[in-house]
Each structure stands twice: as structure tokens, then as C-alpha cells.
Amino acid sequence: MHVTIPYVVGAALFGLGVYGVVRRRNAILVLMAVELMLNAVNLILVTADVSLRSALRGVPGEAWATPNAQPGSGGVFALFVIVLAAAEVGVGLAIVLQYYRMRKAVAIDEVRLDADAERVDG
Amino acid sequence: MTVADVLLLALGAVAVGSGALVVTSTHLVRSGLYLVVSLGAIAGLYLVLGAELVAWVQVLVYVGAVVVLLLFAVMLTRAPIGPSADLDRPTGPSALIGGGVGLGLAALFADAFRWIEYPSPDPGTAETVGKEIFGTWVLPFEVLSILLLAALVGAIVLSRPDIGARPAPPAEPAESEEAPA
């Protein structure tokens, strides 16, 4: 298989995610764009597992390149990133919902970072 | 062009197309549903790339849990059902930044991995992935589980305003009635 295809797909998805994060005003849509970016990274990790594993197959094992010769580390890291994304969405949505409860809006460019704590609570 | 290449191209086109709709749609709910399509296509890409377990975990965690959470949040913030005009900032600079990042990375990858044929990998079943996690990557796994626990507790604390709140001012009787319970 030609690994260029999934690599380019991953790059395009990452670009779309960056575009969404910069463009969107709604906090939930920003979280969706962040999910796209994380998925692009996962795709690139899994693809790197395919391409680099087969590229390293004939190479005599050097400790820094292949900690042990088993394949699959790209998939393991993709799983780790999936878990991180789940935690990120949980905490992010808790923050968004709490902000909505205080302000009745989730537009992120109206968040006042210099506001007083008392006024935010009120 | 082998069968795997055709599958990769088709699923990649679906993933990128619905990803573009995620970041451009003016319907909040539709955006979330396009995200389901995009993540499903990425799961298909994992299957073609031989990472079976990652594909099923992707379907379970992303499509099953994360998107449902996002749609719940859309509903809980009383988002409008129809199209809404004020979801976006001006497109120009964000298109410049996003397009620059995407095209730059794509050019980098296309230059690094030219049109080279790689052998198809063995399927990464649960056995191989489990050996890898609990053989090589045990410490990151444990650190990740602690982080997940901390994120869970943090989300609960954030979403319960009565935990760690300052005592209510005495002028509000409604707050003080709920306090003893």
C-alpha cells in the first residue's frame, strides 16, 4: 500500500482542525475541531507504525530505534491519544457547561479574561 | 493501485469531506453528525492500515461516547436547531492559517514518503496490542490511568457548583434552604 495517502489525509484533517479552532466562535464547535486534530494525529501514528516498521525490518536493532522488535507501538500511542481525548472532552464540556450556566452563552471571543471574580460569579 | 490503495483513497475522501463539513456547517447538530461520519471513515482507515483494535476502540470511544457527549452539550447549551449566522468569525485569516498548516504538512509528508509501495501489515489484534501495552508501555499506561481519574474528579468538581463554593451571602434565603441537605 502507498502510505502517502493516509499521511496526506491526516495532514488535511489536521489543517481542517486548525481552521475550525481559529474560525469557530462556539466553544462546542471548537472542541469538535480539536477532536479532528487529535484524530489526524492518531491516523498519522498508525500510518507511521505501518511504514516505519516495514522500513526498519531489515535494520539491525539499535536500542534507540526499536526498543524491542515487536510491532504495534503506533497503535498503542493512538489508543493513548484516544483516552486523552476522552478526558479532554469530559473536562472541556464541564467547563463549557459551567460557563453557560453563568453567562447563558458559549461564544469564546466574548470571554472576558480580565473580569473580576466576583462579577463572574454574579 | 491495489485494493488497499483504492480503499484508502475512498475512505480518506469521506473523512476529509465530512471533516470539512464539520468545520463549515452552520448547523450545530449537523456539525456533530458529520463528525460521526468523519470518525467512522477514520476507523475504516485504521482497519485498512491493519490496526484492528484501534479501529474498534475508535468506534466505541469516539463515535459512541465523545460525539454523544458533544451532542449532549449542544442540547444543554440550548443551541438553535436551525442554521445560525453568528457561529463563525471572518474566514480570511483562519483559512490562511489552516490551509497553510494543512498544505505544509501534506507537502512535508508527500516529500518524505514518496510514491513508495509498502507491504501490507499483519492485523494488529488485541493480543499484539496487549503485549505491547503491558510489555513495553506499562508506565505510560499507569500514568494515563491516573490522569483519567484526575480528569474525572475534575469534571465532577467543575460541574457541581456546590462543591468548594463560598458560603452563600445571607441575603439570599433560597440558597440557605438548600444548604443543610
Side-chain angles (χ1 to χ4, degrees), chain A residues 1-4 19 22-25 35 39 42 50 54 68 70 73 85 95 98 100-101 118 121, chain B residues 5 22-23 25 39 46 49 58 62 86-89 91 113-114 117-118 132 136-137 158 161 166:
Chain A
M1 63 178 64
H2 295 98
V3 293
T4 315
Y19 172 72
V22 179
R23 178 168 173 246
R24 292 299 206 182
R25 286 181 76 227
E35 294 304 315
N39 269 283
N42 275 343
V50 173
S54 62
N68 58 5
Q70 290 177 8
S73 291
I95 293 173
Q98 186 68 18
Y100 177 77
R101 201 179 295 164
E118 293 296 325
D121 276 350
Chain B
D5 283 340
V22 169
V23 293
S25 170
L39 299 183
Y46 291 157
L49 288 170
Q58 163 99 354
Y62 265 115
D86 62 338
L87 286 178
D88 298 324
R89 272 176 288 196
T91 309
F113 302 88
R114 313 260 168 142
E117 179 92 32
Y118 283 90
E132 192 72 8
T136 312
W137 306 107
L158 272 174
R166 277 161 293 185

Side-chain angles (χ1 to χ4, degrees), chain B residues 84-167:
Chain B
S84 40
D86 62 338
L87 286 178
D88 298 324
R89 272 176 288 196
T91 309
S94 46
L96 197 68
I97 297 172
V101 169
L103 287 181
L105 278 176
L108 200 68
F109 281 128
D111 183 52
F113 302 88
R114 313 260 168 142
W115 200 248
I116 303 172
E117 179 92 32
Y118 283 90
S120 284
D122 312 327
T125 55
E127 188 184 349
T128 55
V129 177
K131 269 184 193 163
E132 192 72 8
I133 290 181
F134 296 108
T136 312
W137 306 107
V138 176
L139 185 63
F141 178 79
E142 296 294 336
V143 171
L144 201 63
S145 56
I146 293 176
L147 182 133
L148 203 58
L149 183 67
L152 201 69
V153 175
I156 292 173
V157 169
L158 272 174
S159 57
R160 288 273 308 269
D162 51 336
I163 297 180
R166 277 161 293 185

Side-chain angles (χ1 to χ4, degrees), chain A residues 98-104 115-122, chain B residues 166 169 172 175:
Chain A
Q98 186 68 18
Y99 186 79
Y100 177 77
R101 201 179 295 164
M102 294 189 306
R103 294 286 184 83
K104 303 291 172 216
D116 281 340
E118 293 296 325
R119 288 177 57 196
V120 168
D121 276 350
Chain B
R166 277 161 293 185
E172 291 181 18
E175 289 282 324

Side-chain angles (χ1 to χ4, degrees), chain A residues 13-27:
Chain A
L13 279 175
F14 194 85
L16 283 174
V18 172
Y19 172 72
V21 167
V22 179
R23 178 168 173 246
R24 292 299 206 182
R25 286 181 76 227
N26 190 302

